[in-house]
């Protein structure tokens, strides 16, 4: 027997996890893409928030938010801010979790954030 803590799938708890999957299923269908749980809520029980990322094909991202990936920051796009903030608050209301939702283009997500991703809403 080892003294190491048991590795869990995530640390948000079963009922909240089910609610998060159900809500992300709606988002996935709306955008034709997949949401992922990333970050500290996959790694430890003392997470600050639940990071949810919707990763879009670069061309789809560009069609929605303009080609702001090169040299500019899409995080300053008013449309991106409104969409991400609105979905964040909706996910919080649906799940009771401290969700941080963001939409990212695939190339950026793969290059800058190579950590563990758990698909949501499948």
């Amino acid at each position: 027997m080892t003294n190491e803590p048991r590795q869990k799938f995530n640390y948000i708890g079963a009922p909240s996890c089910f609610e998060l999957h159900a809500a992300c299923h709606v988002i996935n269908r709306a955008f034709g893409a997949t949401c992922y749980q990333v970050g500290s809520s996959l790694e430890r029980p003392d997470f600050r928030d639940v990071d949810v990322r919707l990763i879009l094909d670069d061309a789809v991202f560009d069609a929605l938010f303009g080609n702001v990936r090169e040299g500019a920051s899409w995080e300053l796009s008013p449309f991106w801010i409104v969409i991400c903030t609105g979905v964040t608050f909706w996910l919080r209301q649906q799940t009771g979790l401290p969700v941080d939702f963001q939409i990212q283009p695939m190339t950026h997500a793969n290059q800058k954030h190579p950590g563990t991703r758990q698909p949501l809403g499948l």
Side-chain angles (χ1 to χ4, degrees), residues 1-15:
M1 181 172 230
T2 179
N3 289 340
E4 292 192 26
R6 181 174 63 94
Q7 182 66 30
K8 297 179 80 170
F9 177 73
N10 69 51
Y11 289 90
I12 63 174

Side-chain angles (χ1 to χ4, degrees), residues 9-24:
F9 177 73
N10 69 51
Y11 289 90
I12 63 174
S16 295
C17 185
F18 299 146
E19 292 166 349
L20 185 60
H21 275 277
C24 286

Side-chain angles (χ1 to χ4, degrees), residues 51-69:
D51 296 306
V52 175
R53 300 297 180 262
L54 177 67
I55 299 176
L56 298 180
D57 179 80
D58 291 348
V60 173
F61 186 92
D62 291 347
L64 284 172
F65 302 107
N67 188 358
V68 295
R69 293 180 293 114

